């Protein structure tokens, strides 16, 4: 390339003049000079330097440095010396006045060239400070612009993400959600709302929502728009929650909804509302069914209470407050006695035949007394083996006797604070009666095998079917114990002495049995009642209860079948000389003729029965059951014979022979 602009002056250094270096020097955009500080001469100047200094490069290369900076010599000298000294230095604020009079302020960057460049030479690179400042401003603006765009993109991305999330939430929400603008027109609808209402979003968007889905009340009356709480929500700027209204589906079907309308604000202005609703049709229906069921239960309960009150009124005279059934004066008297004695702590002795209700009376006394919150402990004295009486009553400690493998609490301790019901008290062996008396007198006892004395607070209610006074007379029962027990006597009347109660009791047991056996209710006929009252009930109420239960089980076609053996007239009294005939008792009437049948009294009849039974027992060696037993001989069911034995107080064991049963 021909050298057109670079200027060679005086002693052009060989390396600089050569090849690529020279080209670089010439082409550089940065103004450059090479000057000799000692000779104060500019040796080389590139075209860029010419543009900076406002003159052709070769004109510039012909100048002295001191000419360029006539007014700044000290600054030039300091700079030049610094370069020569350190090899490299820079300075700012070098003012240049161009030939055309314009000024430029430059920054000089000087580098001392190596000696082989041809003496003491300095390469000066000049920069127009204004130019640099402009570039800095541009670069800064550029950086601002670039970072602004990046920030804007970030914000945009953020909003896009938020929007996506909102869309996902709107889609996933189980509740129907729709938005309306300030004109009441739908702006968006989520998929749940589409599903619930049957409309597609595009059918609703842009339309008046009230007019589409909310135009009519549940009762079919018009729902004016100005009354709509959804619109009111953004007219008044308040959140509205509505529990029970209907929205109308596309197919004209109403759904019951619960919704909340929340106003949307933009810079303080209400611009619409968002409505969140859910279909509560099935919930409301379930609630209504529940209310209806509760109302029905209430109505039923009221009716039952009324009926119950009526029934109670009906049977008040039949069942007294102790659950003892009977209108008979004897029963009324017993109820009064219970009322009288129950609140006291007095000992009670109930006497009466087996099955007449002695235990029932004992329980009634306990229930009506102040001890009712504590237990009633029953001891059947007839069922305890003689050798275990003491332990049964008072308990024992381990090892007290053979078989006492652990401590045992006696009945007295169990009944502490409550009532001890001594059933069949007449059966307590004489030698133990004293121990019982001591507890009754002192309230103290010891467990068998233990020294420690224990105190108890027990009320005693005793029962017996024996004539205890007679037992005392015979020396079989301690008189002092008898008086201790017999503080308040109650006599339980046998059923045959209150036959007027039989229909009531029978009806009661029949209803109870049918309920228990879960069989359809049965009714007593007039004939049934007559048969039942015609019987003398040796087994008392218990027997009646059993007879009724059997009859209910055997009933066919709604008719009861009674198994009563002794309902017919009794057989004739045998003459004193004649041996007691053991005739089948049930068949006696058939064998009796009008002539042979004598008129006999009740006592005579009972004696006659007693003799017949005793004769049969004696023949059978005391055996009751089985083909060789007395029941078979008398043609009676064994259970009936057992009842009669109890009623007549016949002890079958008396007739026992080594061969008998
Ligand atoms: N007046 C009554 N009202 C209702 N049920 C009664 C009546 N009298 C007796 N009973 C019933 O008859 C059955 C026999 O009564 P309970 O056991 O009280 O007689 P008891 O005299 O204690 O007999 P036992 O001396 O054999 O122990 C029981 O089921 C009892 O509920």
């Amino acid at each position: 390339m021909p050298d057109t602009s670079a200027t060679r002056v005086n002693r052009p250094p060989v390396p600089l003049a050569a090849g690529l270096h020279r080209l670089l020097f010439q082409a550089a955009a940065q103004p450059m000079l090479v000057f000799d500080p000692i000779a104060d001469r500019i040796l080389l100047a590139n075209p860029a330097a010419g543009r900076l200094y406002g003159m052709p490069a070769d004109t510039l290369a012909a100048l002295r440095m001191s000419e360029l900076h006539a007014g700044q010599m000290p600054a030039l000298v300091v700079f030049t010396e610094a370069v020569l000294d350190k090899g490299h230095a820079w300075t700012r604020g070098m003012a240049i006045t161009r030939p055309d009079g314009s000024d430029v302020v430059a920054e000089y960057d000087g580098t001392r060239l190596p000696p082989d460049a041809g003496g003491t030479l300095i390469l000066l690179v000049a920069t127009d400070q204004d130019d640099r400042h402009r570039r800095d401003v541009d670069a800064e603006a550029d950086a601002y612009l670039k970072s602004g765009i990046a920030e804007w993109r970030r914000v945009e991305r953020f909003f896009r993400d938020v929007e996506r999330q909102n869309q996902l939430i709107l889609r996933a929400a189980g509740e129907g959600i729709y938005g309306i603008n300030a004109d009441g027109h739908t702006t968006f609808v989520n998929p749940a709302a589409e599903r619930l209402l049957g409309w597609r979003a595009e059918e609703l968007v842009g339309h008046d929502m009230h007019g589409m889905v909310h135009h009519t009340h549940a009762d079919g009356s018009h729902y004016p728009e100005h009354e709509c709480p959804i619109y009111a929500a953004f007219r008044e700027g308040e959140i509205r929650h509505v529990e029970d209204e209907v929205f109308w589906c596309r197919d004209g079907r109403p759904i019951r909804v619960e919704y909340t309308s929340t106003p949307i604000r933009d810079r303080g202005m209400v611009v619409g509302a968002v409505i969140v609703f859910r279909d509560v049709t099935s919930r409301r229906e379930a609630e209504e069914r529940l209310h209806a069921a509760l109302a029905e239960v209430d109505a039923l309960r009221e009716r039952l209470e009324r009926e119950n009150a009526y029934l109670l009124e009906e049977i008040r005279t039949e069942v007294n407050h102790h659950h003892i059934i009977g209108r008979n004066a004897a029963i009324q008297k017993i109820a009064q006695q219970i009322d009288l004695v129950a609140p006291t702590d007095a000992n009670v002795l109930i006497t009466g035949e087996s099955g007449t209700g002695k235990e029932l009376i004992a329980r009634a006394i306990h229930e009506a007394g102040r001890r009712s919150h504590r237990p009633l402990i029953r001891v059947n004295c007839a069922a305890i083996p003689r050798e275990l009486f003491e332990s049964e009553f008072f308990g024992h400690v381990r090892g007290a006797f053979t078989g006492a493998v652990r401590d045992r609490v006696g009945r007295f301790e169990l009944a502490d604070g409550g009532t001890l019901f001594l059933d069949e008290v007449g059966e307590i062996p004489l030698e133990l009666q004293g121990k019982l008396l001591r507890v009754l007198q002192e309230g103290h006892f010891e467990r068998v095998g233990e020294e420690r004395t224990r105190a108890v607070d027990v009320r005693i209610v005793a029962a017996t079917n024996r004539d205890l006074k007679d037992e005392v007379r015979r020396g079989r029962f301690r008189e002092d114990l008898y008086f201790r027990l017999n503080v308040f006597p109650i006599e339980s009347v046998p059923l045959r002495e209150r036959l007027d109660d039989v229909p009531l009791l029978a009806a009661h047991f029949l209803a109870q049995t049918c309920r228990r056996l879960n069989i359809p209710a049965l009714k007593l006929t007039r004939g049934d009642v007559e048969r039942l009252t015609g019987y003398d009930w040796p087994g008392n109420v218990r027997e009646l209860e059993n007879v009724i239960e059997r009859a209910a089980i055997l009933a066919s076609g709604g008719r009861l079948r009674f198994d009563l053996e002794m309902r017919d007239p009794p057989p004739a009294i045998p003459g004193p000389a004649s041996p007691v005939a053991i005739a089948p008792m049930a068949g006696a009437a058939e064998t009796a003729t009008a002539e042979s049948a004598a008129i006999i009294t009740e006592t005579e009849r009972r004696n006659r029965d007693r003799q017949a039974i005793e004769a049969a027992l004696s023949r059978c060696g005391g055996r009751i059951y089985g083909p060789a037993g007395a029941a078979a001989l008398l043609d009676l069911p064994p259970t009936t014979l057992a009842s009669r034995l109890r009623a007549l107080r016949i002890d079958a064991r008396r007739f026992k022979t080594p061969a008998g049963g």
Side-chain angles (χ1 to χ4, degrees), residues 429-449:
L430 192 60
E431 65 271 23
L432 289 163
Q433 291 173 11
K435 298 206 173 186
L436 179 60
L437 183 66
R438 187 190 147 217
V439 198
L440 299 191
Q441 280 172 339
E442 298 168 12
H444 292 142
F445 69 92
E446 288 90 34
R447 287 186 182 176
V448 178

PDB file of all heavy atoms in Angstrom, residues 429-449:
ATOM      1  N   PRO A 429     -78.913 -73.513 109.295  1.00  0.00           N
ATOM      2  CA  PRO A 429     -78.711 -74.455 110.399  1.00  0.00           C
ATOM      3  C   PRO A 429     -78.655 -73.735 111.757  1.00  0.00           C
ATOM      4  O   PRO A 429     -78.111 -72.625 111.844  1.00  0.00           O
ATOM      5  CB  PRO A 429     -77.366 -75.103 110.071  1.00  0.00           C
ATOM      6  CG  PRO A 429     -77.107 -74.803 108.646  1.00  0.00           C
ATOM      7  CD  PRO A 429     -77.845 -73.559 108.321  1.00  0.00           C
ATOM      8  N   LEU A 430     -79.204 -74.364 112.740  1.00  0.00           N
ATOM      9  CA  LEU A 430     -79.332 -73.756 114.070  1.00  0.00           C
ATOM     10  C   LEU A 430     -77.997 -73.247 114.594  1.00  0.00           C
ATOM     11  O   LEU A 430     -77.906 -72.132 115.120  1.00  0.00           O
ATOM     12  CB  LEU A 430     -79.935 -74.805 115.018  1.00  0.00           C
ATOM     13  CG  LEU A 430     -80.406 -74.295 116.368  1.00  0.00           C
ATOM     14  CD1 LEU A 430     -81.487 -73.227 116.226  1.00  0.00           C
ATOM     15  CD2 LEU A 430     -80.943 -75.455 117.202  1.00  0.00           C
ATOM     16  N   GLU A 431     -76.959 -74.068 114.415  1.00  0.00           N
ATOM     17  CA  GLU A 431     -75.661 -73.690 115.007  1.00  0.00           C
ATOM     18  C   GLU A 431     -75.074 -72.427 114.370  1.00  0.00           C
ATOM     19  O   GLU A 431     -74.190 -71.798 114.951  1.00  0.00           O
ATOM     20  CB  GLU A 431     -74.670 -74.863 114.938  1.00  0.00           C
ATOM     21  CG  GLU A 431     -74.252 -75.290 113.545  1.00  0.00           C
ATOM     22  CD  GLU A 431     -75.175 -76.342 112.944  1.00  0.00           C
ATOM     23  OE1 GLU A 431     -76.337 -76.430 113.389  1.00  0.00           O
ATOM     24  OE2 GLU A 431     -74.748 -77.052 112.001  1.00  0.00           O
ATOM     25  N   LEU A 432     -75.565 -72.061 113.204  1.00  0.00           N
ATOM     26  CA  LEU A 432     -75.028 -70.859 112.552  1.00  0.00           C
ATOM     27  C   LEU A 432     -75.898 -69.639 112.789  1.00  0.00           C
ATOM     28  O   LEU A 432     -75.512 -68.515 112.494  1.00  0.00           O
ATOM     29  CB  LEU A 432     -74.897 -71.094 111.043  1.00  0.00           C
ATOM     30  CG  LEU A 432     -73.778 -72.063 110.694  1.00  0.00           C
ATOM     31  CD1 LEU A 432     -73.953 -72.572 109.286  1.00  0.00           C
ATOM     32  CD2 LEU A 432     -72.436 -71.379 110.847  1.00  0.00           C
ATOM     33  N   GLN A 433     -77.061 -69.881 113.311  1.00  0.00           N
ATOM     34  CA  GLN A 433     -77.989 -68.762 113.510  1.00  0.00           C
ATOM     35  C   GLN A 433     -77.410 -67.732 114.490  1.00  0.00           C
ATOM     36  O   GLN A 433     -77.619 -66.532 114.348  1.00  0.00           O
ATOM     37  CB  GLN A 433     -79.340 -69.283 113.982  1.00  0.00           C
ATOM     38  CG  GLN A 433     -80.068 -70.067 112.899  1.00  0.00           C
ATOM     39  CD  GLN A 433     -81.332 -70.728 113.390  1.00  0.00           C
ATOM     40  OE1 GLN A 433     -81.813 -70.466 114.499  1.00  0.00           O
ATOM     41  NE2 GLN A 433     -81.881 -71.619 112.570  1.00  0.00           N
ATOM     42  N   GLY A 434     -76.618 -68.239 115.479  1.00  0.00           N
ATOM     43  CA  GLY A 434     -76.013 -67.341 116.460  1.00  0.00           C
ATOM     44  C   GLY A 434     -75.040 -66.370 115.794  1.00  0.00           C
ATOM     45  O   GLY A 434     -75.016 -65.181 116.112  1.00  0.00           O
ATOM     46  N   LYS A 435     -74.256 -66.881 114.872  1.00  0.00           N
ATOM     47  CA  LYS A 435     -73.282 -66.013 114.186  1.00  0.00           C
ATOM     48  C   LYS A 435     -73.988 -64.932 113.383  1.00  0.00           C
ATOM     49  O   LYS A 435     -73.556 -63.789 113.345  1.00  0.00           O
ATOM     50  CB  LYS A 435     -72.401 -66.848 113.249  1.00  0.00           C
ATOM     51  CG  LYS A 435     -71.603 -67.861 113.993  1.00  0.00           C
ATOM     52  CD  LYS A 435     -70.343 -68.225 113.271  1.00  0.00           C
ATOM     53  CE  LYS A 435     -69.527 -69.124 114.206  1.00  0.00           C
ATOM     54  NZ  LYS A 435     -68.245 -69.458 113.762  1.00  0.00           N
ATOM     55  N   LEU A 436     -75.095 -65.360 112.772  1.00  0.00           N
ATOM     56  CA  LEU A 436     -75.866 -64.393 111.988  1.00  0.00           C
ATOM     57  C   LEU A 436     -76.442 -63.323 112.913  1.00  0.00           C
ATOM     58  O   LEU A 436     -76.385 -62.120 112.613  1.00  0.00           O
ATOM     59  CB  LEU A 436     -76.985 -65.141 111.237  1.00  0.00           C
ATOM     60  CG  LEU A 436     -77.896 -64.301 110.388  1.00  0.00           C
ATOM     61  CD1 LEU A 436     -77.113 -63.567 109.305  1.00  0.00           C
ATOM     62  CD2 LEU A 436     -78.968 -65.169 109.721  1.00  0.00           C
ATOM     63  N   LEU A 437     -76.925 -63.789 114.032  1.00  0.00           N
ATOM     64  CA  LEU A 437     -77.507 -62.843 115.001  1.00  0.00           C
ATOM     65  C   LEU A 437     -76.470 -61.809 115.441  1.00  0.00           C
ATOM     66  O   LEU A 437     -76.762 -60.619 115.535  1.00  0.00           O
ATOM     67  CB  LEU A 437     -78.031 -63.636 116.220  1.00  0.00           C
ATOM     68  CG  LEU A 437     -78.730 -62.792 117.269  1.00  0.00           C
ATOM     69  CD1 LEU A 437     -80.025 -62.207 116.708  1.00  0.00           C
ATOM     70  CD2 LEU A 437     -79.029 -63.617 118.512  1.00  0.00           C
ATOM     71  N   ARG A 438     -75.246 -62.272 115.657  1.00  0.00           N
ATOM     72  CA  ARG A 438     -74.203 -61.352 116.122  1.00  0.00           C
ATOM     73  C   ARG A 438     -73.978 -60.221 115.106  1.00  0.00           C
ATOM     74  O   ARG A 438     -73.899 -59.059 115.459  1.00  0.00           O
ATOM     75  CB  ARG A 438     -72.897 -62.130 116.334  1.00  0.00           C
ATOM     76  CG  ARG A 438     -71.859 -61.258 116.963  1.00  0.00           C
ATOM     77  CD  ARG A 438     -70.506 -61.882 116.988  1.00  0.00           C
ATOM     78  NE  ARG A 438     -69.496 -60.837 116.855  1.00  0.00           N
ATOM     79  CZ  ARG A 438     -68.376 -60.957 116.190  1.00  0.00           C
ATOM     80  NH1 ARG A 438     -68.092 -62.090 115.581  1.00  0.00           N
ATOM     81  NH2 ARG A 438     -67.529 -59.952 116.125  1.00  0.00           N
ATOM     82  N   VAL A 439     -73.935 -60.577 113.858  1.00  0.00           N
ATOM     83  CA  VAL A 439     -73.730 -59.519 112.847  1.00  0.00           C
ATOM     84  C   VAL A 439     -74.923 -58.581 112.854  1.00  0.00           C
ATOM     85  O   VAL A 439     -74.754 -57.361 112.748  1.00  0.00           O
ATOM     86  CB  VAL A 439     -73.605 -60.090 111.416  1.00  0.00           C
ATOM     87  CG1 VAL A 439     -72.975 -59.079 110.505  1.00  0.00           C
ATOM     88  CG2 VAL A 439     -72.838 -61.363 111.391  1.00  0.00           C
ATOM     89  N   LEU A 440     -76.105 -59.159 112.983  1.00  0.00           N
ATOM     90  CA  LEU A 440     -77.288 -58.291 112.948  1.00  0.00           C
ATOM     91  C   LEU A 440     -77.301 -57.355 114.150  1.00  0.00           C
ATOM     92  O   LEU A 440     -77.740 -56.219 114.057  1.00  0.00           O
ATOM     93  CB  LEU A 440     -78.568 -59.134 112.916  1.00  0.00           C
ATOM     94  CG  LEU A 440     -78.730 -60.067 111.715  1.00  0.00           C
ATOM     95  CD1 LEU A 440     -80.141 -60.637 111.660  1.00  0.00           C
ATOM     96  CD2 LEU A 440     -78.448 -59.341 110.420  1.00  0.00           C
ATOM     97  N   GLN A 441     -76.791 -57.839 115.280  1.00  0.00           N
ATOM     98  CA  GLN A 441     -76.804 -57.008 116.491  1.00  0.00           C
ATOM     99  C   GLN A 441     -75.661 -55.993 116.489  1.00  0.00           C
ATOM    100  O   GLN A 441     -75.858 -54.831 116.799  1.00  0.00           O
ATOM    101  CB  GLN A 441     -76.676 -57.908 117.723  1.00  0.00           C
ATOM    102  CG  GLN A 441     -78.001 -58.541 118.081  1.00  0.00           C
ATOM    103  CD  GLN A 441     -77.856 -59.584 119.185  1.00  0.00           C
ATOM    104  OE1 GLN A 441     -76.777 -60.126 119.428  1.00  0.00           O
ATOM    105  NE2 GLN A 441     -78.967 -59.880 119.829  1.00  0.00           N
ATOM    106  N   GLU A 442     -74.486 -56.455 116.119  1.00  0.00           N
ATOM    107  CA  GLU A 442     -73.302 -55.598 116.289  1.00  0.00           C
ATOM    108  C   GLU A 442     -72.807 -54.968 114.989  1.00  0.00           C
ATOM    109  O   GLU A 442     -72.054 -54.010 115.010  1.00  0.00           O
ATOM    110  CB  GLU A 442     -72.154 -56.433 116.883  1.00  0.00           C
ATOM    111  CG  GLU A 442     -72.496 -56.976 118.261  1.00  0.00           C
ATOM    112  CD  GLU A 442     -71.469 -58.023 118.692  1.00  0.00           C
ATOM    113  OE1 GLU A 442     -70.413 -58.130 118.042  1.00  0.00           O
ATOM    114  OE2 GLU A 442     -71.757 -58.724 119.663  1.00  0.00           O
ATOM    115  N   GLY A 443     -73.196 -55.561 113.903  1.00  0.00           N
ATOM    116  CA  GLY A 443     -72.701 -55.047 112.618  1.00  0.00           C
ATOM    117  C   GLY A 443     -71.251 -55.429 112.373  1.00  0.00           C
ATOM    118  O   GLY A 443     -70.563 -54.824 111.557  1.00  0.00           O
ATOM    119  N   HIS A 444     -70.739 -56.443 113.114  1.00  0.00           N
ATOM    120  CA  HIS A 444     -69.339 -56.863 112.971  1.00  0.00           C
ATOM    121  C   HIS A 444     -69.272 -58.332 112.628  1.00  0.00           C
ATOM    122  O   HIS A 444     -70.150 -59.104 113.007  1.00  0.00           O
ATOM    123  CB  HIS A 444     -68.575 -56.693 114.296  1.00  0.00           C
ATOM    124  CG  HIS A 444     -68.391 -55.273 114.668  1.00  0.00           C
ATOM    125  ND1 HIS A 444     -68.471 -54.826 115.961  1.00  0.00           N
ATOM    126  CD2 HIS A 444     -68.164 -54.192 113.906  1.00  0.00           C
ATOM    127  CE1 HIS A 444     -68.273 -53.520 115.981  1.00  0.00           C
ATOM    128  NE2 HIS A 444     -68.088 -53.109 114.733  1.00  0.00           N
ATOM    129  N   PHE A 445     -68.202 -58.732 111.970  1.00  0.00           N
ATOM    130  CA  PHE A 445     -67.978 -60.158 111.703  1.00  0.00           C
ATOM    131  C   PHE A 445     -66.514 -60.348 111.330  1.00  0.00           C
ATOM    132  O   PHE A 445     -65.789 -59.367 111.122  1.00  0.00           O
ATOM    133  CB  PHE A 445     -68.883 -60.647 110.555  1.00  0.00           C
ATOM    134  CG  PHE A 445     -68.505 -60.072 109.247  1.00  0.00           C
ATOM    135  CD1 PHE A 445     -67.621 -60.730 108.405  1.00  0.00           C
ATOM    136  CD2 PHE A 445     -68.981 -58.817 108.842  1.00  0.00           C
ATOM    137  CE1 PHE A 445     -67.243 -60.176 107.199  1.00  0.00           C
ATOM    138  CE2 PHE A 445     -68.599 -58.254 107.659  1.00  0.00           C
ATOM    139  CZ  PHE A 445     -67.723 -58.940 106.823  1.00  0.00           C
ATOM    140  N   GLU A 446     -66.101 -61.572 111.274  1.00  0.00           N
ATOM    141  CA  GLU A 446     -64.737 -61.896 110.817  1.00  0.00           C
ATOM    142  C   GLU A 446     -64.839 -62.865 109.654  1.00  0.00           C
ATOM    143  O   GLU A 446     -65.718 -63.723 109.648  1.00  0.00           O
ATOM    144  CB  GLU A 446     -63.908 -62.573 111.926  1.00  0.00           C
ATOM    145  CG  GLU A 446     -63.503 -61.655 113.043  1.00  0.00           C
ATOM    146  CD  GLU A 446     -64.543 -61.619 114.157  1.00  0.00           C
ATOM    147  OE1 GLU A 446     -65.165 -62.664 114.394  1.00  0.00           O
ATOM    148  OE2 GLU A 446     -64.766 -60.543 114.736  1.00  0.00           O
ATOM    149  N   ARG A 447     -63.954 -62.752 108.726  1.00  0.00           N
ATOM    150  CA  ARG A 447     -63.877 -63.750 107.665  1.00  0.00           C
ATOM    151  C   ARG A 447     -63.377 -65.055 108.276  1.00  0.00           C
ATOM    152  O   ARG A 447     -62.592 -65.020 109.234  1.00  0.00           O
ATOM    153  CB  ARG A 447     -62.889 -63.315 106.578  1.00  0.00           C
ATOM    154  CG  ARG A 447     -63.408 -62.209 105.713  1.00  0.00           C
ATOM    155  CD  ARG A 447     -62.426 -61.953 104.591  1.00  0.00           C
ATOM    156  NE  ARG A 447     -62.874 -60.859 103.743  1.00  0.00           N
ATOM    157  CZ  ARG A 447     -62.150 -60.386 102.730  1.00  0.00           C
ATOM    158  NH1 ARG A 447     -60.965 -60.894 102.448  1.00  0.00           N
ATOM    159  NH2 ARG A 447     -62.617 -59.408 101.991  1.00  0.00           N
ATOM    160  N   VAL A 448     -63.752 -66.168 107.728  1.00  0.00           N
ATOM    161  CA  VAL A 448     -63.286 -67.455 108.233  1.00  0.00           C
ATOM    162  C   VAL A 448     -61.770 -67.500 108.061  1.00  0.00           C
ATOM    163  O   VAL A 448     -61.250 -67.192 106.986  1.00  0.00           O
ATOM    164  CB  VAL A 448     -63.950 -68.620 107.450  1.00  0.00           C
ATOM    165  CG1 VAL A 448     -63.427 -69.964 107.960  1.00  0.00           C
ATOM    166  CG2 VAL A 448     -65.451 -68.551 107.562  1.00  0.00           C
ATOM    167  N   GLY A 449     -61.093 -67.837 109.187  1.00  0.00           N
ATOM    168  CA  GLY A 449     -59.634 -67.953 109.138  1.00  0.00           C
ATOM    169  C   GLY A 449     -58.924 -66.630 109.341  1.00  0.00           C
ATOM    170  O   GLY A 449     -57.728 -66.546 109.142  1.00  0.00           O
TER     171      GLY A 449
END
